[in-house]
Amino acid sequence: MTTTVPVCVWPVNAELAEGPLWQAAENAVYFVDIKGRNIHRLSIATGLQQTWRAPAQPGFVAPLGDDSFVCGLPDGLYRFEAGSGQFSILKEVEAHLPGNRLNDGFVDASGHLWFGSMDDAEEHPTGSLYRVSNDGALVVQDSGYVITNGPAMSPDGRTLYHNDTLRRVVYAFDVSEDGTLSGKRTFASITGDGYPDGMAVDADGFVWVALFGGWRIERFSPDGKLVEQVAFPCANITKLAFGGDDLRTAYVSTAWKGLSQEERLKQPLAGGLFSFRSPTPGQPQAQCTRGFSQ
């Protein structure tokens, strides 16, 4: 089964667009261009397109409230204020690993931020998965990744999914009451073209995985069975987020990173922001309410 064909809603030509984030109060979607060092915002109601320049590679943005966000820059978590465009340091991360940068992140329903780090050269397994605890401490939950991607949570909050991109594996973990992970296991392995990048879990617990170099998104049932694919007109699909009034419009980031000039000519929409309609709604976007002073 295939859902509605994706439509490019902003041909922004991002080198490495990532981390679409739905903000219901604004009727807008935010996303980053990691290599382009930009944060983008598209107003769905008006079509207004806005771009802020980041001081370094932004791995993700996550909502803090009002017009401020947590932004993952290579050396730490920063407060990004959309109104002023200013960045200010909140927490340093991995000062002992200058070759690392922060990559993908998300906020669970309880308000905790989860995010990953990775080797910017994509060669060494120096990346880790983090959770920000109630007291603001950064707790390593798993490690040994070259490229971390796609932390996402089941609707009941009991299962966390995380991608080891280069190994082409989606892992599942059990989540305890205090957020500790256990029971690491393979949830799904990617068998066709592409590498698992960002992902999202819908309200029915199905896991949607964007495939970098795979021309598609794959949807897996809660027991790990591949049940659906959504094909795209470009190869590098990086992440999706559910939005719209009914949370059934998926907004999808893509990238032209790694494409040859000939490939880019054949994929003119690579690096654009797409949308398609989902058969089921996603989960509401939570705000970072734990471990950060507002």
Side-chain angles (χ1 to χ4, degrees):
M1 181 176 71
T2 301
T3 59
T4 304
V5 174
V7 174
C8 186
V9 295
W10 186 2
V12 67
N13 194 35
E15 182 175 357
L16 184 55
E18 257 286 10
L21 172 73
W22 175 250
Q23 289 294 84
E26 302 178 40
N27 195 17
V29 59
Y30 288 76
F31 60 102
V32 301
D33 178 355
I34 298 175
K35 295 301 179 182
R37 300 189 177 187
N38 290 319
I39 298 174
H40 299 295
R41 176 186 182 273
L42 174 65
S43 169
I44 304 305
T46 68
L48 176 66
Q49 301 167 350
Q50 293 175 275
T51 298
W52 296 267
R53 186 69 173 168
Q57 297 181 104
F60 64 87
V61 289
L64 271 173
D66 298 326
D67 70 344
S68 65
F69 300 81
V70 178
C71 180
L73 296 183
D75 62 343
L77 302 176
Y78 283 69
R79 182 186 299 272
F80 162 61
E81 298 181 8
S84 65
Q86 297 298 306
F87 293 79
S88 56
I89 186 71
L90 292 168
K91 304 176 191 296
E92 290 187 353
V93 181
E94 296 184 343
H96 63 296
L97 293 171
N100 272 14
R101 67 170 175 84
L102 302 192
N103 199 36
D104 209 349
F106 96 109
V107 186
D108 67 25
S110 66
H112 290 98
L113 175 67
W114 299 73
F115 65 92
S117 65
M118 61 171 280
D119 175 25
D120 194 30
E122 303 180 6
E123 296 175 351
H124 305 292
T126 53
S128 295
L129 171 65
Y130 290 86
R131 176 181 181 267
V132 179
S133 64
N134 289 333
D135 62 3
L138 302 178
V139 180
V140 175
Q141 299 283 348
D142 198 23
S143 58
Y145 295 83
V146 178
I147 302 175
T148 56
N149 258 309
M153 191 84 74
S154 62
D156 62 8
R158 298 174 63 181
T159 304
L160 181 118
Y161 302 96
H162 190 234
N163 290 335
D164 188 324
T165 296
L166 291 191
R167 289 194 176 100
R168 305 176 77 208
V169 173
V170 182
Y171 291 117
F173 300 80
D174 298 321
V175 186
S176 69
E177 291 292 330
D178 65 0
T180 302
L181 300 184
S182 63
K184 181 179 180 180
R185 56 200 179 272
T186 296
F187 170 75
S189 297
I190 303 305
T191 56
D193 292 337
Y195 297 82
D197 204 313
M199 60 183 163
V201 182
D202 65 28
D204 291 339
F206 286 67
V207 182
W208 300 68
V209 182
L211 297 179
F212 195 95
W215 300 83
R216 69 196 186 281
I217 289 174
E218 292 189 340
R219 184 185 187 218
F220 295 87
S221 63
D223 59 359
K225 292 185 174 63
L226 177 62
V227 295
E228 187 174 0
Q229 297 185 4
V230 182
F232 280 76
C234 52
N236 299 331
I237 319 305
T238 59
K239 193 168 184 175
L240 73 156
F242 294 97
D245 292 341
D246 57 2
L247 293 178
R248 287 184 58 202
T249 299
Y251 292 97
V252 185
S253 53
T254 66
W256 58 258
K257 178 180 180 290
L259 298 182
S260 67
Q261 188 60 39
E262 181 180 1
E263 288 170 328
R264 290 185 65 183
L265 289 174
K266 293 179 179 179
Q267 302 174 43
L269 297 178
L273 180 71
F274 289 77
S275 73
F276 67 88
R277 292 289 288 169
S278 166
T280 55
Q283 301 180 65
Q285 174 63 53
Q287 292 189 350
C288 297
T289 58
R290 305 295 184 94
F292 293 95
S293 58
Q294 300 300 310

